[in-house]
Amino acid sequence: DKDELVRTLQRCRCDHLELSPPARLVNWDVTKDECLNVVGDKMPTLLGNEGKDSVAVLKEPMGSRGTGVFFVRSAEEIHNIIDEHKKEAMAKPNFLDDLIASKGRIPSWVLQAEIRPCLLVRDRKKFHIRSYVVGVENWNNEDYVDTFLYKRHEVRLAKESVPTDQQDDRLTAAHVTNGAKEIELLHQMPELSKLQSRLELFIAQIFAKHLIRDISRRVAMGAQDEQVVNATKFVVAGLDIMVTENGRLYLLEVNVTPTIPSLEDNAEFDMHLSGLMRDIVDLVVGRPTANFVS
């Protein structure tokens, strides 16, 4: 769920470190007055962007692959979007009951600071990096999870170039990189060649210093499933990371059931996906694989 990263960082007491863009949670049924109180008169912004013309990113709880992303400037605009989605949800028979039954709760909307100015490549195109982390239960210590980072990172590019500031009205094709149809591998992009080592250090610090206990708890809960015996439990997380012009990295989302887009006529990317699946299986069953680092 979109709100789970915000809640996890709060649980781990590291939300003040700005590993992820500053964010606020807004309830699915928020009233106009409540929305004004939660959001206030200023959008969340990155450190250093205070006082500038603020645009924030509003994310629908159940959105995926670029759907349900809105660029907003005011609490009134935010409430109008959320209220319209609430009416649509209430009109669907048993929608809320089914959602509570499957998730145990109703997820919140996420209002997140926009990464601005973000690093652009290939004729002013926005991008985010998708990295994969795998947590595998440790059979020698049930309270510990071995965590591995996949060294082949994907660069997912927006469909269109970002216009100049004077023309920029936050068109989805230029500003939303989820659901991208143009994907390359980081180590094959010369203009980003210096980024990989800093990216991997950033991810390692996030998990080793801040999130490992929370991940261990989740894997341990899964390991209590009595229907599965003598099987190694593991979790795959797809991390979406964006970079600013000055090289600062921000964790946008952690997808615990990551979807991988299908690219037509891209045999190289198909080979990458096949290799990823094979390497995950090898890692979990204990066979050596050179593409994961602990």
Side-chain angles (χ1 to χ4, degrees), residues 36-49:
L36 289 171
N37 289 332
V38 171
V39 177
D41 58 356
K42 294 181 181 179
M43 297 293 100
T45 60
L46 299 184
L47 187 65
N49 284 352

Side-chain angles (χ1 to χ4, degrees), residues 136-150:
V136 184
E137 70 169 325
N138 188 308
W139 282 60
N140 297 318
N141 186 340
E142 62 181 12
D143 295 324
Y144 187 76
V145 172
D146 296 318
T147 308
F148 302 88
L149 172 63
Y150 198 55

Side-chain angles (χ1 to χ4, degrees), residues 5 7-8 26 29 61 102 112 141 198 211 229 234 241 273:
L5 175 61
R7 298 184 191 279
T8 298
V26 186
D29 58 350
S102 64
Q112 191 176 68
N141 186 340
R198 289 196 296 112
L211 302 184
V229 181
F234 69 97
I241 297 166
L273 296 182

Side-chain angles (χ1 to χ4, degrees), residues 253-286:
E253 295 180 3
V254 177
N255 304 280
V256 293
T257 53
T259 58
I260 301 175
S262 176
L263 302 184
E264 296 181 1
D265 302 322
N266 193 327
E268 186 173 358
F269 188 71
D270 288 343
M271 290 179 60
H272 160 69
L273 296 182
S274 298
L276 170 62
M277 298 299 105
R278 182 176 59 251
D279 288 336
I280 290 176
V281 172
D282 287 344
L283 178 71
V284 173
V285 302

Side-chain angles (χ1 to χ4, degrees), residues 23 31 35 43 59 62 98 117 134 144 191 226 264 270 294:
T31 66
C35 192
M43 297 293 100
K59 297 181 178 181
M62 308 302 292
D98 293 342
V134 178
Y144 187 76
E191 64 268 48
E226 297 179 355
E264 296 181 1
D270 288 343
S294 62

